[in-house]
Amino acid sequence: MNCKKGENPVNNTPVETERKYLIRYPDTEALARMDGAQIWHIVQTYLCTEGVRVRRIEEDGAVRFIRTEKKRLSALSSFEDEWEITEAEYRRMLADADPERHPVEKTRYRIPWEGYLCEIDVYSFWNDRATLEIELPTEDIRPPMPPFVTLIREVSGDKRYTNRAMAKEIPVE
């Protein structure tokens, strides 16, 4: 997320490709101890403007604010343009929050693993499951499952598991 506008951490383009998995609730203490682990506390709010969200990210006591414009290109890829904004801009944008969606609160564990970036999101509304996103350079790659998670199933094409959808309704299994 330390990207400049229009820059993707995998391939420096505004297209983000990733697979998303539903996983069993992880051992968060073990994740926090992993080499290179970053822990972000995120509040993600969707705005009335389609495809636009803002985030408040806290990491090690520092707070950042990010605005993102996202447009789905396929089940695995999205155009994603994001940039850092000021706290004042963030607060102004919250006035345009989608009233049909709740802010999504999650703790994200960013773990480098075998050349991939694994992002494990632990949500405030679940205590038995979480999600794992793995960023990829192309859609045809099927990364191996990291040994520190227990897979329930892939949800890359399941719209119910997008954060935008979960801001409105939590999927029930």
Side-chain angles (χ1 to χ4, degrees):
M1 209 53 138
N2 292 326
C3 302
K4 295 179 181 141
K5 184 176 178 181
E7 185 177 307
N8 181 287
V10 174
N11 58 18
N12 295 327
T13 71
V15 175
E16 176 185 67
T17 301
E18 63 189 7
R19 289 190 179 272
K20 188 171 191 173
Y21 304 91
L22 189 62
I23 61 172
R24 297 269 177 241
Y25 197 93
D27 180 344
T28 56
E29 290 179 10
L31 292 177
R33 290 190 306 267
M34 294 184 78
D35 285 342
Q38 293 178 300
I39 303 169
W40 292 357
H41 301 284
I42 300 172
V43 178
Q44 185 164 294
T45 304
Y46 290 87
L47 305 183
C48 289
T49 305
E50 181 70 27
V52 179
R53 71 174 184 226
V54 291
R55 283 181 171 168
R56 179 190 186 278
I57 302 172
E58 184 176 345
E59 180 185 14
D60 294 328
V63 177
R64 299 181 296 131
F65 303 92
I66 306 293
R67 179 184 192 275
T68 304
E69 293 179 22
K70 189 170 187 173
K71 182 179 181 195
R72 179 76 37 205
L73 301 173
S74 71
L76 301 179
S77 296
S78 299
F79 171 82
E80 192 167 294
D81 202 8
E82 55 189 15
W83 57 94
E84 197 157 338
I85 57 176
T86 66
E87 182 175 2
E89 289 171 314
Y90 171 79
R91 291 192 184 285
R92 272 195 305 277
M93 289 177 181
L94 287 179
D96 190 36
D98 184 340
E100 295 183 7
R101 299 180 195 284
H102 300 287
V104 174
E105 295 185 33
K106 59 188 177 181
T107 300
R108 173 168 284 177
Y109 296 84
R110 294 171 44 97
I111 313 287
W113 179 75
E114 292 195 11
Y116 295 101
L117 176 62
C118 298
E119 295 180 323
I120 298 170
D121 287 343
V122 175
Y123 296 89
S124 60
F125 47 79
W126 281 333
N127 60 10
D128 62 342
R129 67 192 80 173
T131 62
L132 163 67
E133 295 177 354
I134 301 177
E135 295 188 25
L136 306 167
T138 62
E139 287 192 6
D140 60 333
I141 293 176
R142 287 201 165 275
M145 194 56 45
F148 47 86
V149 301
T150 302
L151 177 67
I152 297 174
R153 66 186 170 89
E154 183 170 3
V155 293
S156 297
D158 190 335
K159 293 181 181 180
R160 296 175 304 154
Y161 288 93
T162 65
N163 283 285
R164 189 177 198 304
M166 290 192 296
K168 192 171 188 176
E169 182 177 347
I170 310 305
V172 180
E173 300 254 330

